[in-house]
Structures are given as structure tokens and as C-alpha cells.
Amino acid sequence: MNQAILLDKRPLGRPKLSDFKFVAEALPEIEADEIMLKTSYVSVDPYLRGRMNSAKSYVAPFELQKPISSGVIAEVIESRHKRFQTGDFVSGLLEWKEYQKSKGEGLIKVDADKAPLSAYLGVLGMTGLTAKLGLSEIGLPREGETMVVSGAAGAVGSVAGQIGKIMGCRVVGIAGSDEKVEMLRSEFGFDEAINYKTTPHMRKAIAAACPEGVDVYFDNVGGAISDAVMVHINQFARIVVCGAISVYNETSLPQSMSVQPLLVRNSALMQGFIVSNYQAKFREAMMQLSRWLAEGKLKYTETIVEGFDQIPQAFMDLFDGRNKGKLVVKI
Ligand code: NAP
């Protein structure tokens, strides 16, 4: 038998284990031009929370009683498809199932000899591309500028901050534990890092960490943390609105500071960013990330949880900050 994880209920507020349902189903059989895939790694991502709501967004909501899908690395264990051989590993948007068949559409082969397979879900996958393209398309960090990154110890944030350093910026990270703050400084080369959970006055802490103001803000969290950063933006600042995890579980539209006067006063640019809008640039961006990794200019960390049955819990752990770097589930 095969196992699958369905969305049983649309979460109200924070997701709960009871919002997910494990079901057993018969193993599929492949036909001509199909492959059989065995799941190796599953990516859990904050944006999946939005897909669990019924509201219209840039990706369709998950359907109730249907399998959830996300970035997956899988092994081809049987092939009747000319593009894939048994033993190939592929990356793509696939269902939360132990085994599934596919016609190969949207799947790309990944090379286990070039990088650990899990890296293709992180630094060499969607989150690495998000950091790279969010900065090269909107943030445009320049030598000598100050860049602030929220959600800095996570998959996107840790890469974004390091790219800021490569570009010659002073980089300040915001994260949710002393251990993460220490990691940002000592392992990822951030100039300063602030623990937002223990800092009583974030505005003052950001002023102290950014004596020359903020030129680039790579925002992964939104909410009160971002309000505290926004009051320090400089003239011509660029704000990459990449994510807003602090409000993903809100049940009504959260109250927030009015940023328009700050944007006008500083001739600043604030732009929402969705990585899938930049697919034409993925190849080039991936090559740059690979080069930086090979040169040792870029490092990454991962939190790897084991077991198919742990996928829903791992997803929920994102909202408690249990991960450092990319959170993936190894099957
Ligand atoms: P991640 O940062 O690896 O994991 C989420 C982190 O968010 C947690 O570790 C936690 O770290 C932090 N967090 C959770 N609740 C928070 C809260 N209430 N306030 C502040 N921080 C909180 O996840 P990721 O995959 O790299 O994604 C980061 C952000 O980028 C998310 O908002 C995501 O939706 C967004 N994203 C956007 C795109 C795009 O195309 N726009 C693509 C990928 C990701 P702490 O311990 O620091 O709290």
C-alpha cells in the first residue's frame, strides 16, 4: 500500500495535526510514457499555509480531501518514459505521497553527485532562487549600503543576507533565538543580528545596528518587525516584500503601520516578489548560486526531519521557528 497526506480541513489560525489526514491507497501502476517515483525529500514551506485557505491567490488553493503538494525530490524507480531512467533523481512540485506516478511534466533531473539531494529544495532550489532573484530584481544591494533581512536564519533569509555580504553591504539579520543570532554572525558573516523575541524595543535596536539607516530591506515576516525596520529606511531604499509569515495565521486582515508617508518621504520602492514570476532567469541565477557555493562565498544549513509521518508536524514547526536554514523531511 501507498501512503498519502490529504488536507482534511482548512486550518483556522495556526494549523493543527487534525487538519491533515493520512490515507492508505493502492500503489499505482505506470503506463507508456510514465515513470514511478519514490519520494526522497519533501520541502515544507510557509507559503503552503496560504494554499490551505480557500481565498484566491497567486497559486490555487489546495482542495479538501486531495493530497497536498510541494517541492519534492524523488527517485525514478521504474520508467516507461524516454527522458528518464531508473535511478534518476528528479525535482518538482509533487504530491505528499510515498510513491506516485508521473508523465514527467515539470520535473527536472538533479545530480546527486554535484550536491546533496536536499540542497535542490533549498540553496539550489526555490528558496535559494528567491533570495537571489529578490535581490537582483528588486533589492539591488550596492557596496557600502546597509541591508536588513528579517526571517534571517531561515532558508531564504540566510542566503539573502550572505548575498548582501557578497555585494559589499553591511548586513543586519533579525531572527528568533540567541542560537540563530550567533549562527548568523559566526557562520554566515552577518555584521549584526537581533533576537526579536528578547529585544524589548526593536526600533531602537535597529537604529543601533544600522547607524546609517536602511537601504535594502529583505522582508520575510511583515508585521511589527517590519514596522520597526521601515521607520529607518533611507532615501531611495528598496524593500523586497518576499513574505509575511508573522501574519499567515491571522484570521482577519492585521492592523499595520501606514508606510505610505515613509515611502513618499524617502522616494523608496516597496515591491511584492513572487519567485515563480522570474522563471526565465532561474537557470542563470542557479549558475550564480552554484558558483558562489563552489567558491565558498555562500554557505547553507538545513534542518532535516525524518519520516513521511512527520511532514505535517514539520510544516507546523515553521511557525515556531524550529528550523535553522531550509526545513526538509527525509523519507
Ligand atoms: P524559513 O525562514 O526557513 O522558516 C520560517 C521562519 O519564519 C521560522 O524559522 C521562524 O524563524 C520565522 N517565523 C515564524 N513565525 C514568525 C513570526 N510570527 N514572526 C517572525 N518570524 C517568524 O522559511 P522560508 O522558506 O525561508 O520562507 C521565508 C519567507 O519567505 C516566508 O514568509 C515565505 O512565505 C517567503 N517566501 C516567499 C517566496 C516568494 O516567492 N515570494 C518564496 C519562498 C519563501 P524565527 O525563529 O526567526 O522566528
Side-chain angles (χ1 to χ4, degrees):
M1 293 299 276
N2 193 17
Q3 273 214 92
I5 304 174
L6 317 184
L7 182 65
D8 194 36
K9 299 182 204 80
R10 300 207 180 278
L12 195 65
R14 284 176 81 92
K16 302 182 290 299
L17 279 179
S18 56
D19 297 325
F20 303 90
K21 185 158 81 187
F22 285 79
V23 292
E25 57 178 33
L27 276 173
E29 278 182 24
I30 59 166
E31 291 165 20
D33 301 321
E34 289 186 338
I35 50 178
M36 177 70 96
L37 295 170
K38 180 173 191 270
T39 299
S40 306
Y41 290 92
V42 172
S43 175
V44 286
D45 302 276
Y47 85 94
L48 300 173
R49 176 64 187 87
R51 295 195 68 188
M52 291 173 187
N53 296 335
S54 58
K56 186 171 168 275
S57 185
Y58 61 97
V59 263
F62 291 124
E63 287 180 52
L64 286 174
Q65 308 309 323
K66 294 271 172 65
I68 294 169
S69 53
S70 69
V72 164
I73 304 292
E75 183 181 359
V76 177
I77 56 166
E78 199 186 339
S79 178
R80 293 182 63 190
H81 193 297
K82 59 179 181 307
R83 197 158 69 87
F84 301 96
Q85 322 274 298
T86 301
D88 285 347
F89 284 94
V90 296
S91 166
L93 204 58
L94 291 164
E95 293 180 334
W96 286 5
K97 289 184 173 181
E98 289 174 309
Y99 298 88
Q100 57 201 294
K101 62 179 191 170
S102 164
K103 292 188 190 306
E105 284 156 14
L107 297 183
I108 52 167
K109 286 191 202 177
V110 293
D111 189 343
D113 294 329
K114 287 206 174 133
L117 286 170
S118 53
Y120 294 102
L121 295 174
V123 67
L124 292 176
M126 190 269 281
T127 56
L129 289 170
T130 299
K132 165 72 182 72
L133 290 165
L135 288 174
S136 56
E137 297 296 316
I138 301 172
L140 306 176
R142 287 187 287 261
E143 181 142 17
E145 289 190 327
T146 299
M147 173 170 152
V148 173
V149 184
S150 58
V156 174
S158 58
V159 175
Q162 291 181 82
I163 296 175
K165 286 306 299 173
I166 293 169
M167 297 296 152
C169 293
R170 172 178 176 76
V171 176
V172 175
I174 302 172
S177 75
D178 288 344
E179 205 186 330
K180 289 183 180 185
V181 158
E182 176 54 26
M183 176 185 79
L184 293 175
R185 289 205 195 103
S186 60
E187 287 176 42
F188 293 131
F190 284 51
D191 297 284
E192 274 295 341
I194 302 167
N195 178 350
Y196 72 91
K197 288 190 179 159
T198 55
T199 301
H201 202 301
M202 280 299 286
R203 280 194 193 192
K204 281 188 191 158
I206 291 159
C210 307
E212 294 184 29
V214 177
D215 301 293
V216 180
Y217 176 35
F218 196 105
D219 187 10
N220 287 311
V221 308
I225 291 173
S226 294
D227 291 352
V229 178
M230 288 299 294
V231 296
H232 297 297
I233 59 170
N234 288 334
Q235 192 182 27
F236 303 125
R238 286 84 62 199
I239 297 107
V240 186
V241 186
C242 173
I245 192 167
S246 75
V247 296
Y248 287 174
N249 290 320
E250 298 286 335
T251 47
S252 58
L253 210 56
Q255 296 277 320
S256 195
M257 188 177 75
S258 173
V259 293
Q260 287 86 343
L262 297 168
L263 296 176
V264 173
R265 191 189 309 156
N266 293 293
S267 308
L269 172 80
M270 185 173 195
Q271 188 178 334
F273 171 84
I274 296 294
V275 68
S276 53
N277 292 336
Y278 298 90
Q279 292 190 24
K281 305 203 170 174
F282 279 8
R283 202 181 130 76
E284 191 193 329
M286 192 62 74
M287 281 165 56
Q288 180 64 79
L289 289 164
S290 304
R291 268 197 303 273
W292 281 331
L293 277 172
E295 292 165 4
K297 291 181 177 164
L298 184 61
K299 297 179 189 161
Y300 69 97
T301 188
E302 303 169 316
T303 301
I304 300 185
V305 170
E306 293 204 22
F308 185 80
D309 58 336
Q310 294 303 308
I311 297 172
Q313 184 62 54
F315 167 68
M316 295 189 306
D317 286 349
L318 288 168
F319 298 95
D320 289 320
R322 296 238 163 86
N323 60 308
K324 279 188 274 175
K326 180 75 192 105
L327 180 49
V328 289
V329 183
K330 184 176 182 193
I331 310 303

